Amino acid sequence: QMGQGESKLKYQQAVIQLVDNPAIPPEDISFWSQFWTIPSTPDEVFGAISPADIRRIKANNPNNLSVLLTQATGQLAGWAQRMSTTADKRPLMTIVLNCVRLLTRIMPFLYEEPADGFVDRVFWSSSAVPSSPSSTGTPTPNETLATKLLDSLQQLLFMPGFTLGAPALPTAVESQFPLTHIWEAGVGIEQVVAPTRSTPRGTGSYRVEILKCLLACLSEGLFLPSDISLRHRNRWIDHIVKESYYSRALFSSLLNSACAYDPIGWGIPYNHLVSSDEHEEVASVSLQLLALLLRYHPSTPLSSSPTVEEEISPQPLPTETPYNPVTSSANLSASLSSSSSSNLAVSTQMSTVDGNSYLKYLKDVRRNKEFEFIQEGIRKLVSHPMTAASTKLPYSMKPLEWQHNILMLFWCLLEQNRKFTEHFIKSPSCPGLLSPIMCFMHESRKDITALGVVQLSTFLLLLLSGERDFAISMNQPLDLRYVPADIIPASVQPPNHV
């Protein structure tokens, strides 16, 4: 293991060379291979490569960083292809996971200065994409390093014997990945292939690592000004949300993993202090990625979308003209008219699927059994923080801090799928979701960092209050056991309510 002293020191020395040596040749395979051949854990990789190291390499030796990213992506893609045809995948897992951890560590720091064009030059240039000697495939004509990385990560998420419990996939060639082999049953498929005894331990943790790497690649919007990020077309997300071989399988896996997770489990007190739950980690990261992909519908067409450098570059100030009451009034009316038309066009465009296959799949959910599965999953996750706070043994249950992502998924369902909305407001459990939503609003009202939870909860209640059936369901008794007393009128408070 890397923690055995000598290997750890060797890895750290390689990082120092990246910082200090301005010209390490790409042909020096013995040097570059250290980053994916030395066995390591995620914590060890993150500890060996500090944020300051990444920033210094990018500022002083960008060629070294470019070669490292290119080689790591090539190794990842090549060995992922080899894994798909190899029965025993254990010897290859070290290389693949080390590449994933390295990219997860580095990618977010590449977006800190979007105007420098580094990401465009390395990942989106039209130059030939290097391939690993272990690769058995031929490069796609218009393939870039970014698309190669994203495609490889999606392939690894559905790799038998690695992130899937099934030993092998069906041999028949299909246009889409078979849903019988996704992570969890639920939406899209009622039963999946059960894992075998030969499945290696840690399947869930491998999914988490690859999903985190995928999130790191898609995080460009976090480093852009808010007014730009709303209209900016993220090419990374554009590639993920387009319909592909793995798109429906990934959508169903993310949604089913989140909704199938039971946060209470066996109900053993303090179990979270004894061992970690990999199912919880998979559900948490799945919710994060799903919320990101479902809310992606920029208003700028891809063909006319400017680059990040063009968007954030300063614009010349308008020249001042003398004030004229007549012309100013006419210009104001014209401006308001064009603004209204523009806003309406943008609103109409953003309300459509806009090439986002994940929104299309969300709209396609139609069966009542699937609606009940989703609704029950949201109910369990939304109500869990209140359940954890009301246990008789203090801190015996770990509360889930997933409020924003759960509410975002709920909002997308109500906004995009009318049949789900109708099913939800007519179900007996509809009023039961009001208590946790009101609690989220109450607890977040004084926390500036949780303003989004308050706004999202308000929009949810506003959307539901426009439905007649929802208003009728409000006549049912409301469960007030977990609702704070200071938000309940004294006239309706139950006895001894605290």
Side-chain angles (χ1 to χ4, degrees), residues 263-297:
I264 297 179
W266 292 95
I268 302 175
Y270 303 104
N271 62 337
H272 62 282
L273 301 177
V274 179
S275 61
S276 60
D277 184 2
E278 68 176 22
H279 297 289
E280 176 186 338
E281 296 182 63
V282 173
S284 175
V285 185
S286 296
L287 264 178
Q288 295 176 44
L289 182 58
L290 190 61
L292 172 64
L293 298 178
L294 290 177
R295 293 308 300 163
Y296 179 70
H297 38 52

PDB file of all heavy atoms in Angstrom, residues 263-297:
ATOM      1  N   PRO A 263     -32.833   4.913   5.090  1.00  0.00           N
ATOM      2  CA  PRO A 263     -31.876   5.487   6.047  1.00  0.00           C
ATOM      3  C   PRO A 263     -31.958   4.877   7.442  1.00  0.00           C
ATOM      4  O   PRO A 263     -31.006   4.985   8.217  1.00  0.00           O
ATOM      5  CB  PRO A 263     -32.257   6.971   6.077  1.00  0.00           C
ATOM      6  CG  PRO A 263     -33.680   7.016   5.632  1.00  0.00           C
ATOM      7  CD  PRO A 263     -33.851   5.884   4.669  1.00  0.00           C
ATOM      8  N   ILE A 264     -33.071   4.228   7.762  1.00  0.00           N
ATOM      9  CA  ILE A 264     -33.219   3.625   9.097  1.00  0.00           C
ATOM     10  C   ILE A 264     -32.630   2.228   9.128  1.00  0.00           C
ATOM     11  O   ILE A 264     -31.974   1.828  10.096  1.00  0.00           O
ATOM     12  CB  ILE A 264     -34.695   3.606   9.527  1.00  0.00           C
ATOM     13  CG1 ILE A 264     -35.220   5.039   9.635  1.00  0.00           C
ATOM     14  CG2 ILE A 264     -34.866   2.870  10.858  1.00  0.00           C
ATOM     15  CD1 ILE A 264     -36.669   5.140  10.033  1.00  0.00           C
ATOM     16  N   GLY A 265     -32.801   1.462   8.061  1.00  0.00           N
ATOM     17  CA  GLY A 265     -32.249   0.107   7.990  1.00  0.00           C
ATOM     18  C   GLY A 265     -32.791  -0.795   9.080  1.00  0.00           C
ATOM     19  O   GLY A 265     -34.009  -0.894   9.283  1.00  0.00           O
ATOM     20  N   TRP A 266     -31.882  -1.444   9.801  1.00  0.00           N
ATOM     21  CA  TRP A 266     -32.283  -2.334  10.890  1.00  0.00           C
ATOM     22  C   TRP A 266     -32.695  -1.562  12.140  1.00  0.00           C
ATOM     23  O   TRP A 266     -33.187  -2.147  13.102  1.00  0.00           O
ATOM     24  CB  TRP A 266     -31.126  -3.278  11.238  1.00  0.00           C
ATOM     25  CG  TRP A 266     -30.812  -4.270  10.178  1.00  0.00           C
ATOM     26  CD1 TRP A 266     -29.870  -4.156   9.198  1.00  0.00           C
ATOM     27  CD2 TRP A 266     -31.448  -5.530   9.959  1.00  0.00           C
ATOM     28  NE1 TRP A 266     -29.857  -5.259   8.391  1.00  0.00           N
ATOM     29  CE2 TRP A 266     -30.827  -6.137   8.839  1.00  0.00           C
ATOM     30  CE3 TRP A 266     -32.485  -6.227  10.595  1.00  0.00           C
ATOM     31  CZ2 TRP A 266     -31.210  -7.379   8.347  1.00  0.00           C
ATOM     32  CZ3 TRP A 266     -32.855  -7.470  10.111  1.00  0.00           C
ATOM     33  CH2 TRP A 266     -32.224  -8.024   8.999  1.00  0.00           C
ATOM     34  N   GLY A 267     -32.466  -0.283  12.170  1.00  0.00           N
ATOM     35  CA  GLY A 267     -32.849   0.513  13.323  1.00  0.00           C
ATOM     36  C   GLY A 267     -31.952   0.343  14.533  1.00  0.00           C
ATOM     37  O   GLY A 267     -32.373   0.612  15.666  1.00  0.00           O
ATOM     38  N   ILE A 268     -30.716  -0.104  14.332  1.00  0.00           N
ATOM     39  CA  ILE A 268     -29.782  -0.306  15.446  1.00  0.00           C
ATOM     40  C   ILE A 268     -29.209   1.035  15.876  1.00  0.00           C
ATOM     41  O   ILE A 268     -28.644   1.761  15.053  1.00  0.00           O
ATOM     42  CB  ILE A 268     -28.646  -1.262  15.038  1.00  0.00           C
ATOM     43  CG1 ILE A 268     -29.222  -2.607  14.592  1.00  0.00           C
ATOM     44  CG2 ILE A 268     -27.661  -1.449  16.180  1.00  0.00           C
ATOM     45  CD1 ILE A 268     -28.187  -3.570  14.063  1.00  0.00           C
ATOM     46  N   PRO A 269     -29.339   1.411  17.156  1.00  0.00           N
ATOM     47  CA  PRO A 269     -28.825   2.707  17.601  1.00  0.00           C
ATOM     48  C   PRO A 269     -27.310   2.808  17.442  1.00  0.00           C
ATOM     49  O   PRO A 269     -26.579   1.840  17.654  1.00  0.00           O
ATOM     50  CB  PRO A 269     -29.234   2.773  19.083  1.00  0.00           C
ATOM     51  CG  PRO A 269     -30.323   1.768  19.238  1.00  0.00           C
ATOM     52  CD  PRO A 269     -30.032   0.691  18.239  1.00  0.00           C
ATOM     53  N   TYR A 270     -26.852   3.968  17.053  1.00  0.00           N
ATOM     54  CA  TYR A 270     -25.429   4.310  16.942  1.00  0.00           C
ATOM     55  C   TYR A 270     -24.676   3.438  15.935  1.00  0.00           C
ATOM     56  O   TYR A 270     -23.452   3.312  16.012  1.00  0.00           O
ATOM     57  CB  TYR A 270     -24.743   4.212  18.313  1.00  0.00           C
ATOM     58  CG  TYR A 270     -25.385   5.078  19.369  1.00  0.00           C
ATOM     59  CD1 TYR A 270     -26.193   4.518  20.357  1.00  0.00           C
ATOM     60  CD2 TYR A 270     -25.192   6.453  19.374  1.00  0.00           C
ATOM     61  CE1 TYR A 270     -26.791   5.315  21.324  1.00  0.00           C
ATOM     62  CE2 TYR A 270     -25.785   7.260  20.336  1.00  0.00           C
ATOM     63  CZ  TYR A 270     -26.582   6.690  21.304  1.00  0.00           C
ATOM     64  OH  TYR A 270     -27.174   7.475  22.256  1.00  0.00           O
ATOM     65  N   ASN A 271     -25.387   2.828  14.986  1.00  0.00           N
ATOM     66  CA  ASN A 271     -24.696   1.981  14.014  1.00  0.00           C
ATOM     67  C   ASN A 271     -23.766   2.796  13.113  1.00  0.00           C
ATOM     68  O   ASN A 271     -22.779   2.276  12.580  1.00  0.00           O
ATOM     69  CB  ASN A 271     -25.710   1.203  13.173  1.00  0.00           C
ATOM     70  CG  ASN A 271     -26.602   2.130  12.359  1.00  0.00           C
ATOM     71  OD1 ASN A 271     -26.776   3.297  12.708  1.00  0.00           O
ATOM     72  ND2 ASN A 271     -27.179   1.623  11.286  1.00  0.00           N
ATOM     73  N   HIS A 272     -24.058   4.099  12.935  1.00  0.00           N
ATOM     74  CA  HIS A 272     -23.210   4.921  12.074  1.00  0.00           C
ATOM     75  C   HIS A 272     -21.853   5.206  12.701  1.00  0.00           C
ATOM     76  O   HIS A 272     -20.918   5.617  12.005  1.00  0.00           O
ATOM     77  CB  HIS A 272     -23.913   6.246  11.759  1.00  0.00           C
ATOM     78  CG  HIS A 272     -24.196   7.079  12.977  1.00  0.00           C
ATOM     79  ND1 HIS A 272     -25.252   6.807  13.831  1.00  0.00           N
ATOM     80  CD2 HIS A 272     -23.572   8.166  13.497  1.00  0.00           C
ATOM     81  CE1 HIS A 272     -25.266   7.701  14.809  1.00  0.00           C
ATOM     82  NE2 HIS A 272     -24.263   8.523  14.632  1.00  0.00           N
ATOM     83  N   LEU A 273     -21.726   4.997  14.001  1.00  0.00           N
ATOM     84  CA  LEU A 273     -20.441   5.183  14.668  1.00  0.00           C
ATOM     85  C   LEU A 273     -19.554   3.948  14.571  1.00  0.00           C
ATOM     86  O   LEU A 273     -18.348   4.028  14.809  1.00  0.00           O
ATOM     87  CB  LEU A 273     -20.656   5.533  16.140  1.00  0.00           C
ATOM     88  CG  LEU A 273     -21.471   6.799  16.427  1.00  0.00           C
ATOM     89  CD1 LEU A 273     -21.651   6.976  17.925  1.00  0.00           C
ATOM     90  CD2 LEU A 273     -20.803   8.013  15.805  1.00  0.00           C
ATOM     91  N   VAL A 274     -20.158   2.818  14.248  1.00  0.00           N
ATOM     92  CA  VAL A 274     -19.429   1.550  14.193  1.00  0.00           C
ATOM     93  C   VAL A 274     -18.906   1.274  12.786  1.00  0.00           C
ATOM     94  O   VAL A 274     -17.770   0.847  12.606  1.00  0.00           O
ATOM     95  CB  VAL A 274     -20.318   0.391  14.678  1.00  0.00           C
ATOM     96  CG1 VAL A 274     -19.570  -0.932  14.597  1.00  0.00           C
ATOM     97  CG2 VAL A 274     -20.808   0.650  16.094  1.00  0.00           C
ATOM     98  N   SER A 275     -19.740   1.514  11.785  1.00  0.00           N
ATOM     99  CA  SER A 275     -19.345   1.216  10.407  1.00  0.00           C
ATOM    100  C   SER A 275     -20.010   2.201   9.465  1.00  0.00           C
ATOM    101  O   SER A 275     -21.044   2.792   9.783  1.00  0.00           O
ATOM    102  CB  SER A 275     -19.734  -0.223  10.028  1.00  0.00           C
ATOM    103  OG  SER A 275     -21.148  -0.393  10.116  1.00  0.00           O
ATOM    104  N   SER A 276     -19.397   2.382   8.308  1.00  0.00           N
ATOM    105  CA  SER A 276     -19.961   3.260   7.283  1.00  0.00           C
ATOM    106  C   SER A 276     -20.918   2.470   6.398  1.00  0.00           C
ATOM    107  O   SER A 276     -20.792   1.253   6.261  1.00  0.00           O
ATOM    108  CB  SER A 276     -18.850   3.880   6.437  1.00  0.00           C
ATOM    109  OG  SER A 276     -18.101   2.867   5.786  1.00  0.00           O
ATOM    110  N   ASP A 277     -21.856   3.169   5.807  1.00  0.00           N
ATOM    111  CA  ASP A 277     -22.864   2.550   4.948  1.00  0.00           C
ATOM    112  C   ASP A 277     -22.592   2.990   3.518  1.00  0.00           C
ATOM    113  O   ASP A 277     -22.822   4.150   3.149  1.00  0.00           O
ATOM    114  CB  ASP A 277     -24.260   2.988   5.408  1.00  0.00           C
ATOM    115  CG  ASP A 277     -25.372   2.305   4.611  1.00  0.00           C
ATOM    116  OD1 ASP A 277     -25.046   1.472   3.744  1.00  0.00           O
ATOM    117  OD2 ASP A 277     -26.549   2.616   4.866  1.00  0.00           O
ATOM    118  N   GLU A 278     -22.091   2.067   2.682  1.00  0.00           N
ATOM    119  CA  GLU A 278     -21.771   2.437   1.308  1.00  0.00           C
ATOM    120  C   GLU A 278     -23.027   2.731   0.502  1.00  0.00           C
ATOM    121  O   GLU A 278     -22.991   3.494  -0.464  1.00  0.00           O
ATOM    122  CB  GLU A 278     -20.936   1.355   0.622  1.00  0.00           C
ATOM    123  CG  GLU A 278     -21.640   0.053   0.366  1.00  0.00           C
ATOM    124  CD  GLU A 278     -20.758  -0.931  -0.402  1.00  0.00           C
ATOM    125  OE1 GLU A 278     -19.525  -0.786  -0.363  1.00  0.00           O
ATOM    126  OE2 GLU A 278     -21.321  -1.830  -1.035  1.00  0.00           O
ATOM    127  N   HIS A 279     -24.177   2.130   0.904  1.00  0.00           N
ATOM    128  CA  HIS A 279     -25.430   2.434   0.214  1.00  0.00           C
ATOM    129  C   HIS A 279     -25.823   3.899   0.435  1.00  0.00           C
ATOM    130  O   HIS A 279     -26.376   4.538  -0.462  1.00  0.00           O
ATOM    131  CB  HIS A 279     -26.547   1.512   0.708  1.00  0.00           C
ATOM    132  CG  HIS A 279     -26.295   0.065   0.425  1.00  0.00           C
ATOM    133  ND1 HIS A 279     -26.359  -0.462  -0.848  1.00  0.00           N
ATOM    134  CD2 HIS A 279     -25.962  -0.969   1.238  1.00  0.00           C
ATOM    135  CE1 HIS A 279     -26.087  -1.759  -0.810  1.00  0.00           C
ATOM    136  NE2 HIS A 279     -25.838  -2.087   0.447  1.00  0.00           N
ATOM    137  N   GLU A 280     -25.538   4.420   1.617  1.00  0.00           N
ATOM    138  CA  GLU A 280     -25.815   5.831   1.891  1.00  0.00           C
ATOM    139  C   GLU A 280     -24.954   6.728   1.008  1.00  0.00           C
ATOM    140  O   GLU A 280     -25.438   7.736   0.464  1.00  0.00           O
ATOM    141  CB  GLU A 280     -25.542   6.138   3.365  1.00  0.00           C
ATOM    142  CG  GLU A 280     -25.706   7.608   3.725  1.00  0.00           C
ATOM    143  CD  GLU A 280     -25.288   7.916   5.144  1.00  0.00           C
ATOM    144  OE1 GLU A 280     -25.264   6.991   5.981  1.00  0.00           O
ATOM    145  OE2 GLU A 280     -24.967   9.088   5.427  1.00  0.00           O
ATOM    146  N   GLU A 281     -23.691   6.384   0.843  1.00  0.00           N
ATOM    147  CA  GLU A 281     -22.806   7.187   0.002  1.00  0.00           C
ATOM    148  C   GLU A 281     -23.258   7.166  -1.449  1.00  0.00           C
ATOM    149  O   GLU A 281     -23.258   8.200  -2.130  1.00  0.00           O
ATOM    150  CB  GLU A 281     -21.373   6.670   0.119  1.00  0.00           C
ATOM    151  CG  GLU A 281     -20.762   6.795   1.503  1.00  0.00           C
ATOM    152  CD  GLU A 281     -19.326   6.296   1.528  1.00  0.00           C
ATOM    153  OE1 GLU A 281     -18.487   6.896   0.841  1.00  0.00           O
ATOM    154  OE2 GLU A 281     -19.056   5.311   2.231  1.00  0.00           O
ATOM    155  N   VAL A 282     -23.645   5.985  -1.947  1.00  0.00           N
ATOM    156  CA  VAL A 282     -24.122   5.894  -3.335  1.00  0.00           C
ATOM    157  C   VAL A 282     -25.377   6.726  -3.521  1.00  0.00           C
ATOM    158  O   VAL A 282     -25.512   7.478  -4.504  1.00  0.00           O
ATOM    159  CB  VAL A 282     -24.389   4.420  -3.717  1.00  0.00           C
ATOM    160  CG1 VAL A 282     -25.035   4.344  -5.098  1.00  0.00           C
ATOM    161  CG2 VAL A 282     -23.096   3.621  -3.712  1.00  0.00           C
ATOM    162  N   ALA A 283     -26.321   6.629  -2.570  1.00  0.00           N
ATOM    163  CA  ALA A 283     -27.565   7.392  -2.674  1.00  0.00           C
ATOM    164  C   ALA A 283     -27.299   8.893  -2.627  1.00  0.00           C
ATOM    165  O   ALA A 283     -27.903   9.666  -3.374  1.00  0.00           O
ATOM    166  CB  ALA A 283     -28.526   6.981  -1.555  1.00  0.00           C
ATOM    167  N   SER A 284     -26.391   9.318  -1.759  1.00  0.00           N
ATOM    168  CA  SER A 284     -26.094  10.748  -1.621  1.00  0.00           C
ATOM    169  C   SER A 284     -25.490  11.322  -2.899  1.00  0.00           C
ATOM    170  O   SER A 284     -25.958  12.351  -3.411  1.00  0.00           O
ATOM    171  CB  SER A 284     -25.135  10.956  -0.443  1.00  0.00           C
ATOM    172  OG  SER A 284     -24.735  12.303  -0.353  1.00  0.00           O
ATOM    173  N   VAL A 285     -24.460  10.676  -3.429  1.00  0.00           N
ATOM    174  CA  VAL A 285     -23.814  11.190  -4.639  1.00  0.00           C
ATOM    175  C   VAL A 285     -24.743  11.057  -5.840  1.00  0.00           C
ATOM    176  O   VAL A 285     -24.736  11.912  -6.737  1.00  0.00           O
ATOM    177  CB  VAL A 285     -22.478  10.462  -4.887  1.00  0.00           C
ATOM    178  CG1 VAL A 285     -21.749  11.074  -6.076  1.00  0.00           C
ATOM    179  CG2 VAL A 285     -21.585  10.525  -3.663  1.00  0.00           C
ATOM    180  N   SER A 286     -25.561  10.017  -5.869  1.00  0.00           N
ATOM    181  CA  SER A 286     -26.536   9.855  -6.957  1.00  0.00           C
ATOM    182  C   SER A 286     -27.519  11.016  -6.973  1.00  0.00           C
ATOM    183  O   SER A 286     -27.870  11.541  -8.037  1.00  0.00           O
ATOM    184  CB  SER A 286     -27.289   8.528  -6.804  1.00  0.00           C
ATOM    185  OG  SER A 286     -26.420   7.425  -6.940  1.00  0.00           O
ATOM    186  N   LEU A 287     -27.996  11.424  -5.801  1.00  0.00           N
ATOM    187  CA  LEU A 287     -28.913  12.559  -5.714  1.00  0.00           C
ATOM    188  C   LEU A 287     -28.246  13.839  -6.209  1.00  0.00           C
ATOM    189  O   LEU A 287     -28.866  14.640  -6.915  1.00  0.00           O
ATOM    190  CB  LEU A 287     -29.379  12.742  -4.271  1.00  0.00           C
ATOM    191  CG  LEU A 287     -30.711  12.111  -3.871  1.00  0.00           C
ATOM    192  CD1 LEU A 287     -30.987  12.357  -2.396  1.00  0.00           C
ATOM    193  CD2 LEU A 287     -31.851  12.663  -4.714  1.00  0.00           C
ATOM    194  N   GLN A 288     -26.998  14.051  -5.840  1.00  0.00           N
ATOM    195  CA  GLN A 288     -26.286  15.252  -6.276  1.00  0.00           C
ATOM    196  C   GLN A 288     -26.172  15.306  -7.797  1.00  0.00           C
ATOM    197  O   GLN A 288     -26.465  16.331  -8.425  1.00  0.00           O
ATOM    198  CB  GLN A 288     -24.895  15.289  -5.654  1.00  0.00           C
ATOM    199  CG  GLN A 288     -24.876  15.436  -4.150  1.00  0.00           C
ATOM    200  CD  GLN A 288     -23.461  15.378  -3.594  1.00  0.00           C
ATOM    201  OE1 GLN A 288     -22.540  15.990  -4.122  1.00  0.00           O
ATOM    202  NE2 GLN A 288     -23.262  14.618  -2.531  1.00  0.00           N
ATOM    203  N   LEU A 289     -25.752  14.203  -8.397  1.00  0.00           N
ATOM    204  CA  LEU A 289     -25.576  14.179  -9.848  1.00  0.00           C
ATOM    205  C   LEU A 289     -26.917  14.289 -10.564  1.00  0.00           C
ATOM    206  O   LEU A 289     -27.046  15.004 -11.565  1.00  0.00           O
ATOM    207  CB  LEU A 289     -24.850  12.893 -10.252  1.00  0.00           C
ATOM    208  CG  LEU A 289     -24.552  12.731 -11.746  1.00  0.00           C
ATOM    209  CD1 LEU A 289     -23.712  13.895 -12.268  1.00  0.00           C
ATOM    210  CD2 LEU A 289     -23.837  11.408 -12.016  1.00  0.00           C
ATOM    211  N   LEU A 290     -27.937  13.607 -10.043  1.00  0.00           N
ATOM    212  CA  LEU A 290     -29.253  13.645 -10.678  1.00  0.00           C
ATOM    213  C   LEU A 290     -29.839  15.055 -10.636  1.00  0.00           C
ATOM    214  O   LEU A 290     -30.410  15.536 -11.628  1.00  0.00           O
ATOM    215  CB  LEU A 290     -30.189  12.650  -9.980  1.00  0.00           C
ATOM    216  CG  LEU A 290     -31.530  12.377 -10.661  1.00  0.00           C
ATOM    217  CD1 LEU A 290     -31.320  11.795 -12.048  1.00  0.00           C
ATOM    218  CD2 LEU A 290     -32.370  11.415  -9.816  1.00  0.00           C
ATOM    219  N   ALA A 291     -29.712  15.733  -9.491  1.00  0.00           N
ATOM    220  CA  ALA A 291     -30.220  17.110  -9.389  1.00  0.00           C
ATOM    221  C   ALA A 291     -29.501  18.033 -10.363  1.00  0.00           C
ATOM    222  O   ALA A 291     -30.118  18.911 -10.987  1.00  0.00           O
ATOM    223  CB  ALA A 291     -30.053  17.613  -7.959  1.00  0.00           C
ATOM    224  N   LEU A 292     -28.201  17.843 -10.534  1.00  0.00           N
ATOM    225  CA  LEU A 292     -27.429  18.670 -11.470  1.00  0.00           C
ATOM    226  C   LEU A 292     -27.893  18.453 -12.902  1.00  0.00           C
ATOM    227  O   LEU A 292     -28.107  19.413 -13.655  1.00  0.00           O
ATOM    228  CB  LEU A 292     -25.940  18.337 -11.334  1.00  0.00           C
ATOM    229  CG  LEU A 292     -24.996  18.974 -12.361  1.00  0.00           C
ATOM    230  CD1 LEU A 292     -24.996  20.487 -12.228  1.00  0.00           C
ATOM    231  CD2 LEU A 292     -23.587  18.418 -12.210  1.00  0.00           C
ATOM    232  N   LEU A 293     -28.082  17.210 -13.303  1.00  0.00           N
ATOM    233  CA  LEU A 293     -28.434  16.908 -14.687  1.00  0.00           C
ATOM    234  C   LEU A 293     -29.871  17.291 -15.008  1.00  0.00           C
ATOM    235  O   LEU A 293     -30.169  17.733 -16.127  1.00  0.00           O
ATOM    236  CB  LEU A 293     -28.220  15.414 -14.969  1.00  0.00           C
ATOM    237  CG  LEU A 293     -26.774  14.916 -14.806  1.00  0.00           C
ATOM    238  CD1 LEU A 293     -26.688  13.419 -15.072  1.00  0.00           C
ATOM    239  CD2 LEU A 293     -25.833  15.675 -15.729  1.00  0.00           C
ATOM    240  N   LEU A 294     -30.778  17.136 -14.052  1.00  0.00           N
ATOM    241  CA  LEU A 294     -32.184  17.457 -14.310  1.00  0.00           C
ATOM    242  C   LEU A 294     -32.426  18.963 -14.390  1.00  0.00           C
ATOM    243  O   LEU A 294     -33.384  19.400 -15.026  1.00  0.00           O
ATOM    244  CB  LEU A 294     -33.071  16.856 -13.222  1.00  0.00           C
ATOM    245  CG  LEU A 294     -33.211  15.334 -13.223  1.00  0.00           C
ATOM    246  CD1 LEU A 294     -34.066  14.867 -12.050  1.00  0.00           C
ATOM    247  CD2 LEU A 294     -33.827  14.840 -14.535  1.00  0.00           C
ATOM    248  N   ARG A 295     -31.599  19.765 -13.735  1.00  0.00           N
ATOM    249  CA  ARG A 295     -31.797  21.212 -13.760  1.00  0.00           C
ATOM    250  C   ARG A 295     -30.994  21.893 -14.866  1.00  0.00           C
ATOM    251  O   ARG A 295     -30.944  23.120 -14.922  1.00  0.00           O
ATOM    252  CB  ARG A 295     -31.396  21.827 -12.405  1.00  0.00           C
ATOM    253  CG  ARG A 295     -32.294  21.436 -11.266  1.00  0.00           C
ATOM    254  CD  ARG A 295     -33.758  21.677 -11.569  1.00  0.00           C
ATOM    255  NE  ARG A 295     -34.036  23.079 -11.846  1.00  0.00           N
ATOM    256  CZ  ARG A 295     -35.123  23.500 -12.448  1.00  0.00           C
ATOM    257  NH1 ARG A 295     -36.024  22.624 -12.897  1.00  0.00           N
ATOM    258  NH2 ARG A 295     -35.333  24.784 -12.643  1.00  0.00           N
ATOM    259  N   TYR A 296     -30.406  21.120 -15.738  1.00  0.00           N
ATOM    260  CA  TYR A 296     -29.592  21.713 -16.800  1.00  0.00           C
ATOM    261  C   TYR A 296     -30.452  21.916 -18.042  1.00  0.00           C
ATOM    262  O   TYR A 296     -30.807  20.963 -18.731  1.00  0.00           O
ATOM    263  CB  TYR A 296     -28.397  20.818 -17.122  1.00  0.00           C
ATOM    264  CG  TYR A 296     -27.520  21.374 -18.231  1.00  0.00           C
ATOM    265  CD1 TYR A 296     -26.748  22.508 -18.021  1.00  0.00           C
ATOM    266  CD2 TYR A 296     -27.487  20.775 -19.476  1.00  0.00           C
ATOM    267  CE1 TYR A 296     -25.954  23.029 -19.028  1.00  0.00           C
ATOM    268  CE2 TYR A 296     -26.687  21.284 -20.493  1.00  0.00           C
ATOM    269  CZ  TYR A 296     -25.927  22.403 -20.258  1.00  0.00           C
ATOM    270  OH  TYR A 296     -25.145  22.925 -21.255  1.00  0.00           O
ATOM    271  N   HIS A 297     -30.814  23.162 -18.327  1.00  0.00           N
ATOM    272  CA  HIS A 297     -31.487  23.515 -19.573  1.00  0.00           C
ATOM    273  C   HIS A 297     -31.172  24.971 -19.894  1.00  0.00           C
ATOM    274  O   HIS A 297     -32.010  25.857 -19.714  1.00  0.00           O
ATOM    275  CB  HIS A 297     -33.000  23.287 -19.513  1.00  0.00           C
ATOM    276  CG  HIS A 297     -33.623  23.640 -18.198  1.00  0.00           C
ATOM    277  ND1 HIS A 297     -33.437  24.856 -17.587  1.00  0.00           N
ATOM    278  CD2 HIS A 297     -34.417  22.925 -17.377  1.00  0.00           C
ATOM    279  CE1 HIS A 297     -34.113  24.884 -16.459  1.00  0.00           C
ATOM    280  NE2 HIS A 297     -34.704  23.729 -16.295  1.00  0.00           N
TER     281      HIS A 297
END
